[in-house]
C-alpha cells in the first residue's frame, strides 16, 4: 500500500511574558495534545541568531499568533513588538486571558479581537483551551493558504522577483481562487502577496503567448518547406499562420495603449493659429524666416534615467512594460520631457531598433506619436529619419503589423506638417 504524505499540522506562534512561563507551558502542552505545532522565540531562536529577522520568520510561518494576555505581557516591550509584527504582516491574532486583567490597559490593536477567557463565571482552563481550539480551526484553510503564499511571496521578492519563483499551473489557480474569497475578520492580504499573484498571472500569460508563437513558427517553417509543392494552398496556410501571430501582437498592443492612454489634445498638442485681421500693411520684401526654438537643456543624469525608463518599454515582463508606459506617458503629458523624447528616438534608430521586440517597437512609436515638443527636444529631423528608414525597410519586405503601420503613417503625416493628425495610433 502506498504511503500518503502526512498532513501539515496547524502552526501557532505563542507570544507570552517570561514571567508567565508556567501558564504558557500549560497552554503549549494542551495545544500540542490537540494536534497543533507551537513555536515561540525562547525555544525556536538559537543563541547568537539575529533576533528580529528570525522572529518575523516564525510569525510569518505560523498560521495564528496567540497572545497570552496578562499584566506582564502588556508591560513587555518584546511582547508588544511581536503583536506589531503580526499586525504588520496581516496575520490572525487571538488573545487568551488566563487571569483577571484591566482591559483598558490592553493595546488598542486588540480592541476588536475575540478575547478567549480562562477565568470568570462558567470558565476554566479546560473550557478556555476548548474555545481556543475552536477559534484556531475557524477559517483554517484560508489562514493556511495565507501562510504559504506569504512565504512564497517573500522568497520571490527577496530574489529580486525572479520569474523562476512565480506561481504556475494549479498553484496559481488556487491562489487566484483564494484571493477571490472574503478574508476572515481582522486579517488582510498584504500588497506583496497580491502583487506576487498578479505578477505570476502576467507571467503565465506571457509564457502561453511565447509557446503559441513557437508552435506557430514551427508550423510556418514546415509550410515554407513544402510551399513549392502545395503552391497556393501553402501560401494560404502561411497567411493564416501569420494572421494568428499578428492577432497576438495586436492584443498586446491594445493592452498597452489602453493602459497608458494618450493625450486628448492638451497643452502640448499642435494647434493651427487662429486667423488674425487682414494685413493691410505693405508686404515686406523677402520670405519670413521662422524662429528656431530654443533647445531644452538636459543633464547627463536625466538622460541616463530616461534611457533606462524607455528601455523598459521593451522589457520581457508585461507588468514592467505597462508600468514604464504609464511613467513615460505621465512625463510627456506633464512637460514633453525632452530627455524622454531623445531616448525614444535613440531606441528607434537603427541598429538599436533591430534589437527591439514587436511590442517594444510599437510601444515606443506609440509614445513618440502621442507627444509634442519635438523641436524643443531637437529630435524633429531624427523622427523624420526614423519614419523614412522604417518605410524603406518595409519596401524591402520587412513585415510591419497594421497597428505599427498606423503609428508610422501618423508620424509621417506630422513630419509632413499635418498638424491636425491624431495623437492616437494603432487603432486607439
Amino acid at each position: 500500500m502506498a504511503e500518503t504524505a502526512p498532513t501539515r499540522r496547524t502552526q501557532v506562534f505563542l507570544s507570552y511574558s517570561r514571567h508567565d512561563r508556567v501558564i504558557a507551558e500549560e497552554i503549549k502542552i494542551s495545544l500540542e495534545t490537540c494536534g497543533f505545532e507551537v513555536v515561540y522565540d525562547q525555544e525556536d531562536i538559537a543563541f547568537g541568531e539575529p533576533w528580529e529577522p528570525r522572529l518575523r520568520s516564525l510569525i510569518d510561518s505560523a498560521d495564528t499568533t496567540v497572545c497570552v494576555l496578562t499584566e506582564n505581557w502588556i508591560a513587555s516591550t518584546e511582547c508588544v513588538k511581536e503583536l506589531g509584527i503580526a499586525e504588520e504582516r496581516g496575520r490572525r491574532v487571538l488573545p487568551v486571558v488566563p487571569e483577571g486583567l484591566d482591559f483598558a490597559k490592553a493595546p488598542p490593536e486588540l480592541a476588536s479581537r475575540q478575547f478567549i477567557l480562562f477565568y470568570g463565571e462558567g470558565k476554566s482552563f479546560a473550557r478556555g483551551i476548548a474555545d481556543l481550539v475552536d477559534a484556531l480551526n475557524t477559517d483554517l484553510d484560508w489562514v493556511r493558504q495565507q501562510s504559504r503564499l506569504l512565504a512564497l511571496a517573500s522568497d520571490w521578492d527577496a530574489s529580486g522577483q525572479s520569474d523562476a519563483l512565480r506561481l504556475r499551473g494549479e498553484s496559481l489557480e488556487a491562489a487566484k481562487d483564494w484571493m477571490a474569497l472574503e478574508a476572515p475578520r481582522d486579517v488582510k492580504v498584504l500588497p506583496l502577496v497580491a502583487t506576487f499573484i498578479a505578477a505570476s498571472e502576467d507571467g503565465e500569460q506571457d509564457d502561453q503567448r511565447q509557446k503559441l508563437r513557437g508552435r506557430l513558427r514551427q508550423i510556418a517553417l514546415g509550410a515554407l518547406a513544402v510551399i513549392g509543392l502545395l503552391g497556393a494552398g501553402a501560401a494560404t496556410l502561411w497567411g493564416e499562420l501569420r494572421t494568428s501571430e499578428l492577432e497576438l501582437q495586436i492584443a498586446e498592443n491594445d493592452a498597452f495603449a489602453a493602459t497608458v492612454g494618450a493625450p486628448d489634445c492638451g497643452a502640448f498638442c499642435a494647434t493651427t493659429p487662429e486667423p488674425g485681421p487682414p494685413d493691410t500693411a505693405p508686404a515686406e520684401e523677402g520670405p519670413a524666416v521662422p524662429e528656431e526654438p530654443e533647445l531644452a537643456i538636459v543633464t547627463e543624469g536625466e538622460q541616463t534615467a530616461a534611457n533606462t525608463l524607455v528601455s523598459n518599454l521593451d522589457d520581457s515582463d508585461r507588468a514592467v512594460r505597462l508600468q514604464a508606459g504609464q511613467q513615460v506617458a505621465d512625463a510627456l503629458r506633464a512637460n514633453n520631457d525632452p530627455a524622454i523624447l531623445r531616448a525614444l528616438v535613440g531606441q528607434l534608430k537603427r541598429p538599436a531598433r533591430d534589437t527591439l521586440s514587436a511590442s517594444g517597437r510599437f510601444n515606443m512609436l506609440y509614445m513618440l506619436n502621442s507627444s509634442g515638443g519635438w523641436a524643443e527636444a531637437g529630435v524633429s529631423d531624427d523622427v523624420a529619419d526614423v519614419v523614412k528608414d522604417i518605410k524603406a525597410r518595409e519596401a524591402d519586405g520587412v513585415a510591419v503589423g497594421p497597428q505599427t503601420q498606423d503609428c508610422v503613417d501618423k508620424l509621417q503625416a506630422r513630419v509632413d506638417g499635418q498638424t491636425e493628425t491624431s495623437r492616437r495610433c494603432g487603432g486607439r
Side-chain angles (χ1 to χ4, degrees), residues 236-281:
T236 299
L237 175 60
W238 169 253
E240 291 175 352
L241 292 170
R242 179 59 181 153
T243 298
S244 297
E245 189 167 8
L246 284 174
E247 285 174 350
L248 285 172
Q249 186 56 51
I250 287 170
E252 167 72 19
N253 295 349
D254 283 345
F256 179 85
T259 299
V260 305
D264 293 320
C265 225
F268 58 78
C269 288
T271 57
T272 303
E274 295 183 3
D279 188 359
T280 57

Side-chain angles (χ1 to χ4, degrees), residues 46 48 109 113 127 138 142 152 159 169 174 188 226 229 241 258 316 338 345 388 390 424:
E109 295 89 342
R113 304 285 176 173
R127 290 183 181 276
T138 301
W142 196 97
L152 293 173
S159 72
K188 63 184 179 183
V226 297
L229 297 175
L241 292 170
S316 59
V345 169
K388 180 179 179 181
I390 291 176
R424 301 174 186 270

Side-chain angles (χ1 to χ4, degrees), residues 44 54-55 63 81 108 175 219 224 247 276 297 337 342 353:
D44 294 286
R54 178 56 176 160
L55 181 62
D63 301 306
K81 180 174 286 189
I219 295 171
L224 287 173
E247 285 174 350
I297 298 174
D337 191 316
R342 293 172 190 176
R353 189 178 75 243

